[in-house]
Amino acid sequence: SGFADMYFGKQRGNFAQKPSFVYNHRVNNQLRTNLLLLKGELQFSRFRATLGLMTGDYSRYNLAAEPLWARPLNEAFFGVKLLKKANLWWDVGVYNSFIGLESAISSDAPTLTRSIVSDNTPYYFLGTRTLYVSENKNHELGFHVLNGWQRIALDPKMRRPSFGVHYKVHF
C-alpha cells in the first residue's frame, strides 16, 4: 500500500519556514512532501511481517533525533501467532502507538495541527507486544515492553524498559 501527503504553504512576509511548534507543514512557498509512505505486509497462518518506509518533512523534522538508518522506518515488525485457535500474536519491532488520537498519516488524524488532547503522545514504539484480537475483531488487548517513548534507537541512559497495556473496543 502507499500514502502521499503533499502540501503547498503560502504565508505573508515570504518567510522560508513557518513556525514549527505545532505542525509538520512548515516549509513556505514550495510544493513539499509531508509524508510519502510505502508499506508491505505479509501474513501467513502462524507468521506475519510488516515493513513501512517513509520520507518527507514528517520524518525529517520528527525523527531528527534518531540515527539515519532509523528515520525511514514507519513500521518494521515480525510476528508469531502463539495459539492455533486464538488470535494471539507476539510481535517485535517498530509499530504504531496505541496511545492518543493522532497519527503520522494525516487522513487518520482529526486535525492538521497537533491537538492539546493528543499533545505529547507517541506515534510509534520500538519493542515487543503480545496482542489478542477477538474473533469478531471488536475487542483488542495488548501488553507492551518498549524502548521508551517514541524512540527507535536505544538510549544508553535508559536502564529499564517501559511497559504498557491497552484495551480497545471497535464499533
Side-chain angles (χ1 to χ4, degrees), residues 34-35 54-64 71-72:
N34 182 55
L35 179 65
M54 65 182 169
T55 189
D57 289 346
Y58 168 80
S59 61
R60 178 177 300 118
Y61 299 133
N62 290 297
L63 281 78
R71 292 179 193 173

Side-chain angles (χ1 to χ4, degrees), residues 22-87:
V22 291
Y23 59 108
N24 301 320
H25 305 81
R26 64 191 227 190
V27 176
N28 201 21
N29 299 327
Q30 291 180 26
L31 180 62
R32 300 287 293 197
T33 302
N34 182 55
L35 179 65
L36 178 61
L37 173 62
L38 296 174
K39 184 175 174 181
E41 298 179 15
L42 291 172
Q43 178 128 4
F44 301 99
S45 61
R46 300 292 304 254
F47 300 98
R48 67 183 178 186
T50 297
L51 178 62
L53 299 175
M54 65 182 169
T55 189
D57 289 346
Y58 168 80
S59 61
R60 178 177 300 118
Y61 299 133
N62 290 297
L63 281 78
E66 298 287 356
L68 287 175
W69 63 265
R71 292 179 193 173
L73 295 178
N74 178 270
E75 281 187 289
F77 68 87
F78 175 78
V80 177
K81 191 172 186 182
L82 299 175
L83 301 171
K84 280 186 178 183
K85 295 185 179 185
N87 200 9

Side-chain angles (χ1 to χ4, degrees), residues 69-139:
W69 63 265
R71 292 179 193 173
L73 295 178
N74 178 270
E75 281 187 289
F77 68 87
F78 175 78
V80 177
K81 191 172 186 182
L82 299 175
L83 301 171
K84 280 186 178 183
K85 295 185 179 185
N87 200 9
L88 181 66
W89 290 87
W90 178 57
D91 297 319
V92 176
V94 178
Y95 54 90
N96 290 323
S97 171
F98 61 90
I99 301 173
L101 303 171
E102 294 182 343
S103 168
I105 299 171
S106 59
S107 61
D108 293 341
T111 62
L112 173 64
T113 63
R114 296 220 16 122
S115 66
I116 292 173
V117 172
S118 296
D119 209 13
N120 296 315
T121 59
Y123 288 171
Y124 61 89
F125 292 126
L126 172 95
T128 182
R129 66 182 173 189
T130 303
L131 192 63
Y132 170 75
V133 179
S134 64
E135 276 189 51
N136 63 6
K137 299 190 189 309
N138 287 346
H139 303 277

